[in-house]
Amino acid sequence: MRMRKTVSIAILAAAAFGLWLGYSATSEDASASLEAKQSNGPGITRESPNPFLSSYIVDPRNQIALKDTGLNEQRDDPQMLNKSYAASELVNRGTVDYFRYLQTEFHAGATLQANTEAIRQHLFSTLQPEDAEKLFALYKKFVDFEYSIGDKAKDWKMPDSPKETLELIGKMQKHQQQTFGEETADLLFGGELKTMEYTARKSGILNDKVAGGAEKEALLNKLTQDMFGISGDKLDATKNPYNLFEEKLLLYKNDLDKLEPPEAEKLIKQFRAKYLPASANSQ
């Protein structure tokens, strides 16, 4: 019997990553974009704070490193968690990954209770009894939380804009903190929620219908620095080159739409040569 995935995480992941790839600006988002420029007198404009570069939700003090989020495509193999967990702090940013690894490893029982008992036995065979008892108690609370969140999610509207996704992330964080306490909730779910927050904010920037590519790139760089500091410089290094190419097309979509077809194709070829040189050379 395989444990179902967290309903809340599925909702947020679909919202955040789906918006990045296929979001169309709503009238509300368009208004927010236009209001980002406010008149300050004849011939003078003042840039107001971009709505996606303010009021950070999950980690305003930048304590969750890039390596501990889903944006890091080079995270440790989950199977290695079993070997290294006993030497780490009992509750840490890898604890949920470890719990899900256990659910995948011990799922052959006929009932949920049988699988849970197998996990209990495993913990007591690999940890000191006191640590095993504490971690198993947290695991049971985590499982109860996963199942109960399905009912809670019925009251949450499925978001269809980056702004609504950010609002849902805030609700999710509050519910997690009410269940586990602020510190433990941050350790358990902070990396996942920060991944989703970054992706939602990035979606809002990428799919802006007004800004040009250079402006979007500056906003995106600011977002990455705000949320990850100097380690944000390593973000592109972990990405697939084709994903970087597709992202570049989104960044410059407004510019490409204004160009004549030959000029647009020329710019696209430049991007392809930068990110997909083998593909560009074969054409």
Side-chain angles (χ1 to χ4, degrees), residues 64-76:
I64 302 176
L66 175 64
K67 67 180 180 63
D68 293 321
T69 72
L71 298 166
N72 175 20
E73 297 181 6
Q74 300 175 356
R75 297 183 76 183
D76 291 339

Side-chain angles (χ1 to χ4, degrees), residues 143-190:
V143 171
D144 290 341
F145 175 79
E146 283 196 313
Y147 276 93
S148 67
I149 201 65
D151 292 331
K152 188 74 175 178
K154 294 176 183 177
D155 299 327
W156 294 340
K157 175 181 176 293
M158 184 69 178
D160 57 13
S161 73
K163 181 179 178 181
E164 291 182 359
T165 301
L166 292 173
E167 291 173 353
L168 182 56
I169 289 170
K171 292 177 182 178
M172 188 66 233
Q173 182 190 49
K174 182 178 180 180
H175 185 56
Q176 291 168 345
Q177 291 175 347
Q178 289 174 340
T179 302
F180 294 93
E182 185 173 340
E183 183 177 353
T184 300
D186 174 67
L187 286 171
L188 293 175
F189 304 106

Side-chain angles (χ1 to χ4, degrees), residues 9-270:
I9 296 300
I11 290 174
L12 289 173
F17 289 88
L19 288 172
W20 176 14
L21 297 174
Y23 164 66
S24 296
T26 64
S27 58
E28 181 181 11
D29 291 313
S31 297
S33 177
L34 291 173
E35 289 172 2
K37 292 186 176 181
Q38 300 175 345
S39 175
N40 221 25
I44 301 175
T45 60
R46 174 173 60 84
E47 295 290 334
S48 69
N50 185 285
F52 299 110
L53 297 179
S54 61
S55 303
Y56 294 102
I57 302 168
V58 178
D59 185 31
R61 290 181 295 174
N62 247 354
Q63 295 181 319
I64 302 176
L66 175 64
K67 67 180 180 63
D68 293 321
T69 72
L71 298 166
N72 175 20
E73 297 181 6
Q74 300 175 356
R75 297 183 76 183
D76 291 339
D77 186 328
Q79 293 189 24
M80 295 299 295
L81 295 171
N82 188 47
K83 299 178 181 179
S84 63
Y85 195 86
S88 68
E89 296 179 11
L90 195 62
V91 180
N92 56 61
R93 300 205 184 280
T95 299
V96 167
D97 284 341
Y98 182 61
F99 285 167
R100 290 177 180 155
Y101 161 76
L102 292 176
Q103 290 174 340
T104 301
E105 190 73 7
F106 300 97
H107 69 274
T111 65
L112 173 62
Q113 289 73 18
N115 292 334
T116 301
E117 174 59 21
I119 289 173
R120 188 193 71 80
Q121 292 179 14
H122 174 77
L123 292 177
F124 274 85
S125 69
T126 56
L127 298 174
Q128 292 297 319
E130 183 178 355
D131 289 342
E133 191 67 48
K134 291 179 180 178
L135 194 59
F136 184 61
L138 181 61
Y139 172 75
K140 289 191 295 183
K141 190 172 185 178
F142 168 75
V143 171
D144 290 341
F145 175 79
E146 283 196 313
Y147 276 93
S148 67
I149 201 65
D151 292 331
K152 188 74 175 178
K154 294 176 183 177
D155 299 327
W156 294 340
K157 175 181 176 293
M158 184 69 178
D160 57 13
S161 73
K163 181 179 178 181
E164 291 182 359
T165 301
L166 292 173
E167 291 173 353
L168 182 56
I169 289 170
K171 292 177 182 178
M172 188 66 233
Q173 182 190 49
K174 182 178 180 180
H175 185 56
Q176 291 168 345
Q177 291 175 347
Q178 289 174 340
T179 302
F180 294 93
E182 185 173 340
E183 183 177 353
T184 300
D186 174 67
L187 286 171
L188 293 175
F189 304 106
E192 286 185 328
L193 288 189
K194 188 168 183 177
T195 300
M196 294 168 191
E197 180 179 2
Y198 177 81
T199 305
R201 292 181 182 277
K202 181 176 181 177
S203 170
I205 293 172
L206 287 176
N207 295 286
D208 187 296
K209 303 300 181 183
V210 179
E215 182 180 353
K216 287 184 182 182
E217 284 189 315
L219 292 171
L220 187 55
N221 288 336
K222 178 70 164 57
L223 173 68
T224 303
Q225 289 298 313
D226 283 355
M227 294 192 70
F228 295 107
I230 192 171
S231 66
D233 295 338
K234 303 175 182 178
L235 188 55
D236 283 353
T238 69
K239 294 180 182 175
N240 181 291
Y242 185 79
N243 291 340
L244 288 171
F245 172 65
E246 289 291 304
E247 182 177 301
K248 194 77 168 184
L249 294 182
L250 271 176
L251 283 167
Y252 281 83
K253 183 179 186 305
N254 295 339
D255 305 81
L256 291 167
D257 289 345
K258 295 176 183 178
L259 295 175
E260 294 295 325
E263 291 300 314
E265 184 58 32
K266 181 179 179 181
L267 185 57
I268 291 173
K269 285 184 177 180
Q270 291 177 7

